[in-house]
Amino acid sequence: MIENINWYPGHMKKTREIISENLKLVDVAVEVIDARIPVSSRNPVIDDILKNKKRIVALCKSDLADDVENEKWIKALEKTGAAAIPVNCVAGTGVPKFLKLLSKLQEEKNNGRARKKPLRLMIVGIPNVGKSSLINRLIGKKSAMTGDRPGITKGKQWLNLGDGIQLLDTPGILWPKFEDRETGLHLAFCGSIKDEILDRETLALELLAVLQEKCPALLVERYKLDRLHDAPLENMECIALKRGFILPGKRIDYDRASRALLDEFRSGAIGKITLEGGLW
């Protein structure tokens, strides 16, 4: 069992300083969260830094989350005073609505001004929630590096979105210690914490236990299982057998089975799954 998950590289301390120092230069903060884990992917440190700054919340990877839960979370976020938009950066869904909102905010900023000023945005969020992918969609080209590993962006960079809109990208920022074990696990399940610092097989078993409870039918369908057992380890072995993940001597290849489960959850191959359902 994974008890404590902590990951706070030195550059994340620098990120906090970057956000704080540049906040006064921007009109709007765009907070990017993972639609599958709307609570765990919201860094309380960011709330503390942004305070009352006007905010747009982009629920990235919304195509991987449950559609009904997406709608619930949008309503919950809007009650906090933030604009909330679900975004699928692969297909571009939600991007036109996002750009329309930015244009509206720009008009409001320059209403009555003889000399127009640019609308300045700051993108913030934890690692690997889709910040760079969203930026690339907004500017229409690959200017920001993207990847499936957390911690790709290392420093701040200003980007022009066109039409007088400027955007400040910042590296992802996690917080020093996860007080809630579930938060750390959810972040690890979704890839916001590097797999290299965790026991992948144990993490996969933890994920399997959650999926057994939340969406058993999806597991049975995806892995063509006859039924689910109570113990995650037994189900992992069944998945390995169905996929042919067998080592010499007819031994179960737990590593391949674990990789497959984590990769297929993260890619949405198992189904549209929101780990944190309901409202605050």
Side-chain angles (χ1 to χ4, degrees):
M1 178 180 290
I2 297 176
E3 293 295 341
N4 296 301
I5 300 176
N6 295 308
W7 185 57
Y8 195 65
H11 76 266
M12 291 191 180
K13 178 178 182 295
K14 181 64 176 177
T15 298
R16 177 168 184 158
E17 295 171 356
I18 290 173
I19 294 173
S20 299
E21 291 168 1
N22 290 276
L23 191 61
K24 60 182 178 295
L25 302 178
V26 302
D27 305 294
V28 183
V30 178
E31 181 185 9
V32 182
I33 65 175
D34 189 322
R36 298 167 296 179
I37 48 172
V39 176
S40 295
S41 61
R42 298 196 80 193
N43 188 341
V45 170
I46 290 176
D47 263 348
D48 181 56
I49 298 170
L50 297 183
K51 294 184 172 60
N52 296 321
K53 177 69 70 173
K54 186 184 291 291
R55 193 182 314 196
I56 301 172
V57 180
L59 289 92
C60 281
K61 306 185 182 183
S62 61
D63 54 307
L64 304 179
D66 182 87
D67 294 328
V68 173
E69 293 299 332
N70 282 342
E71 290 301 317
K72 290 180 179 179
W73 282 112
I74 289 167
K75 291 177 181 177
L77 289 164
E78 287 176 343
K79 287 181 179 179
T80 69
I85 301 175
V87 178
N88 172 358
C89 293
V90 176
T93 308
V95 174
K97 183 177 181 180
F98 198 96
L99 290 171
K100 185 177 180 180
L101 175 57
L102 294 183
S103 295
K104 179 183 177 183
L105 293 173
Q106 184 184 37
E107 290 176 7
E108 291 175 357
K109 176 178 179 177
N110 287 299
N111 184 33
R113 290 178 182 269
R115 183 179 179 181
K116 306 300 182 184
K117 291 188 176 182
L119 179 73
R120 287 186 159 185
L121 316 173
M122 176 187 286
I123 293 275
V124 297
I126 68 171
N128 207 33
V129 287
K131 296 188 301 300
S132 295
S133 296
L134 175 60
I135 291 169
N136 291 337
R137 273 290 177 179
L138 293 175
I139 64 178
K141 60 182 178 180
K142 289 194 173 182
S143 176
M145 290 189 297
T146 62
D148 58 2
R149 294 177 296 109
I152 292 295
T153 305
K154 297 299 183 184
K156 71 174 184 179
Q157 54 180 332
W158 281 99
L159 302 168
N160 288 313
L161 302 187
D163 298 323
I165 301 176
Q166 299 175 348
L167 183 150
L168 176 63
D169 184 21
T170 63
I173 176 174
L174 281 175
W175 49 112
K177 183 179 180 180
F178 307 124
E179 300 297 339
D180 179 16
R181 175 178 178 273
E182 186 176 80
T183 295
L185 284 175
H186 286 179
L187 290 168
F189 293 158
C190 293
S192 288
I193 298 174
K194 291 181 178 179
D195 285 345
E196 290 85 348
I197 73 165
L198 303 170
D199 179 339
R200 184 183 293 107
E201 292 178 18
T202 302
L203 181 64
L205 287 173
E206 296 273 10
L207 174 59
L208 192 51
V210 172
L211 298 182
Q212 284 177 210
E213 179 182 348
K214 290 187 175 293
C215 52
L218 291 180
L219 284 175
V220 170
E221 181 180 358
R222 175 65 184 174
Y223 297 106
K224 305 295 186 286
L225 303 176
D226 298 323
R227 67 184 181 88
L228 283 179
H229 299 276
D230 293 333
L233 182 59
E234 290 184 68
N235 291 320
M236 184 68 77
E237 291 172 348
C238 289
I239 290 171
L241 290 171
K242 287 289 185 178
R243 288 290 178 87
F245 297 153
I246 307 298
L247 296 168
K250 297 183 179 181
R251 293 175 295 120
I252 298 293
D253 191 337
Y254 292 103
D255 182 64
R256 286 185 67 191
S258 298
R259 287 176 184 271
L261 183 74
L262 288 166
D263 289 346
E264 292 174 21
F265 166 72
R266 291 168 182 171
S267 69
I270 295 175
K272 293 187 172 186
I273 301 168
T274 300
L275 296 180
E276 298 168 346
L279 306 180
W280 285 301

